[in-house]
Structures are given as C-alpha cells and as structure tokens.
Amino acid sequence: MVDVKFCVFCGKPPESKNKEHVLPQWLLRLTGDPNRVVSMGYNYKSRAEVSFRWKSLVTPACEACNTEYASLESEVRPIVEALLEREPLSVSNYCTLLDWLDKVRVGLWLNYHLLMGNPTGINPSFYINTRLRKKDRFVAIYPIQEKNAGLNANGVETLSFHGAPSAFGLRVNNIFLINCSSDYIFSGRCGFPYPASMKLHLDGESLGYLQMEKFKATRKIKTPLFSFQLHKPSVFLLQPIMQTAVSEIDQSSTFLGGDPAHDPYLLDSTMTGMQPGVGKIYRQFKDHVSRLDDESTLISFDTITGSECRPAGQLVSQVYELQTFLQSGYTPLAESLEVRKQWNQRQRLMKQLNRAISKNYINASSPKH
Ligand SMILES: [Zn+2]
C-alpha cells in the first residue's frame, strides 16, 4: 500500500495538518456555485463516470507550505479575472499564470491519484515544489463562445496523465486554456541546449531514470517553436527551461548541456531574478516568434476570425492528442523483454483511450443533421 499522507507541495508527511484546495475557492465562486457536483471524465477501469463536488477536491498540506503558496493564489486571481475580460496582461503576469498552472496541473494529478485510490499504481516521485518552473512549459489561450459560467479540467482523467501530468485543459467561464510542460519540448527550437535522445529506463538499476545524451544548441530561434500544431490561439506563450541535475546518476555539470552564466546567447535568453536557466517568454504568432525581453510589455489578445474559429469541442480534443504526442518523445530501454512488452501495451492503451475521448469531443462539436 502506498502511504497517501503526503503534503501536496513538499511530499513530506504534512506538519500541523492543513487542507489545500487544488482548485481554489475564489475560482469556484467565480465560475458558479462552489458546492456544485462536476464530472471529471470516467474511470477507465470501471468505465464509470467520475463525479464529485469541486469543493471536495482537497489534499493534505503542511500549514507552512500552504501559507507559502497562498501568495501565488492572491497574485493570480486578478490575472485570471483580467483574462476573462480579454484585457492585456504583462509578461511577468503571464509568468505568474504559468507558475499557477504548474501548481494546478500537478495538484490535480496528485489529487486524482488520491481520489481514485491510486488506480494505476503510481508512486509520485515529485510534488508541486519540485515540479514548479522545472521543464519547458506553455500556455495557449482561446476565447470561447460560452454564455454559461463554468469550470472544467480536461485530460486529467486519462491513463496518460496518470503516468505524467504533462498537459491539461482548463475552461474558466468563456476562456479555454491549454497548459503543457514536459522535457525539452521546444528548448532546442529556442536555441537552448537539448539532448539528441531521451531514453527512459524501464527496469534494472536505473529504473525510472531518464537518460539524456549529446546536448547541442543552435543558438537560433526556429518557427514554429513547438512542432505539434495547435488551432490558432489568441495568445500562445512558451517558456523554455534548462533542467538542473536531479540525481547522482545525472552528469556532474550543474546544467544539463551548458551553463547560462558563461554563454552570452543563453544569458540574453534567460530571466534574471529567478533560478538560473529559466528562459524568457516567447510569443508564437502565426508565422513568426518574438522573444519578450521586457517583463512589463503588455500582451494583447490576437483576434481569431473566420475559418480560424473552432468549436469548443475541437479545442478540447487537442489536449488528448497532445498527450499522445508528448508520450512519443521518449525511447524506452528495457533489459527484460516482458517489461518492454508491457510498456508497449500500455502505450497502445493510452493512445486508444485518448483517441476515443478526442473523437467524442470532435463529434460533439460538429453540426448535427
Ligand atoms: Zn509541505
């Protein structure tokens, strides 16, 4: 049995126990009755619909950790409110939003895991603290034609998300956000160091270890930054993040593939006043990319017109396709043939389930005859 009494932020047994609302109370009030019951996809094992009260989405947390993150919540609240009004926001506002999305995405992952009684036998190896601002991340923002208030999280119910909380969708009233964070998904195309291969050890002494080799950097920006093609968002912001060594198996260098302090290109391309190696924010437009150097620059919504407009269902379906795309970035390494077979089976199953959900969303949004 997995000991489920961990703090969602630091992973330690919670000190002077507190409860953390994964989706904060202010967001529940902003989007309807805080006591409402919602559905969160289905349990893939029992094929039964999962529903619960948003309010009951609470996880244990230390009092100190909870207090520390309360300031992020109060900072992000006016940012989300401004988004709903389609108001321009600064680069640093968007950086706060990306931090908060890391928190919510990992929080939902840990919460779902607790809520469902750990259906896929995963032992969390990281928590909000250890995953916030740690890997390449982006947010794509879509205005939607939705008159009713509401809050939905998409993609958090899948087997793929259980394995790695890399991408999810969040509908807040008339805005739909796609948030994604994973290993080196566009660092290379921002000119940052990236590995030629990422091999995942499935068994043996290095079980769970991601072996990254042959780092190189072009020091040039390539468009599009991200190779998975999304429907045109109104705002599409990407932030490359250089990873630091996480275990003794990693290379002895502090930064995988280079040190930003000694490289003029990386120094220019990273933020100051944060942990070293956090990239500046890049805005992807239809046919070009801008690196946003000034943190006070205001970012306005790009208008989406005519054939670029997509029904909400099609926007949501992208989350499931994106998860499948991200899975393919890793090459499995296994000593045992049996382990390798099981991995392949699981990959296929994840893909099938995501495909089925994605199709459902697309069909639900196509006009009926
Ligand atoms: Zn804690």
Side-chain angles (χ1 to χ4, degrees), residues 293-345:
D293 283 350
D294 180 356
E295 287 182 39
S296 61
T297 300
L298 289 178
I299 297 167
S300 305
F301 275 50
D302 220 1
T303 44
I304 297 176
T305 48
S307 61
E308 291 167 342
C309 287
R310 301 285 165 179
Q314 282 190 28
L315 299 177
V316 173
S317 75
Q318 298 181 107
V319 172
Y320 300 90
E321 303 290 346
L322 180 57
Q323 288 183 349
T324 302
F325 170 81
L326 293 168
Q327 269 171 230
S328 63
Y330 306 94
T331 311
L333 278 183
E335 290 163 20
S336 145
L337 195 63
E338 195 47 41
V339 169
R340 174 65 187 262
K341 266 189 193 162
Q342 282 170 8
W343 194 82
N344 285 343
Q345 267 170 14

Side-chain angles (χ1 to χ4, degrees), residues 7 10 62 65:
C7 164
C10 68
C62 308
C65 289

Side-chain angles (χ1 to χ4, degrees), residues 22-71:
V22 176
L23 288 161
Q25 299 280 47
W26 65 262
L27 187 62
L28 300 185
R29 283 192 297 269
L30 187 68
T31 52
D33 177 2
N35 291 308
R36 65 197 185 272
V37 174
V38 292
S39 116
M40 193 146 140
Y42 56 86
N43 183 328
Y44 75 95
K45 260 185 183 166
S46 60
R47 299 269 165 171
E49 179 106 323
V50 181
S51 58
F52 52 88
R53 286 174 198 280
W54 269 139
K55 236 180 132 175
S56 68
L57 259 185
V58 286
T59 53
C62 308
E63 201 182 339
C65 289
N66 218 337
T67 309
E68 196 188 316
Y69 278 89
S71 58

Side-chain angles (χ1 to χ4, degrees), residues 262-281:
H262 300 117
D263 184 314
Y265 181 86
L266 294 177
L267 205 56
D268 272 355
S269 313
T270 47
M271 294 245 189
T272 43
M274 280 187 192
Q275 94 229 23
V278 175
K280 286 185 171 156
I281 288 184

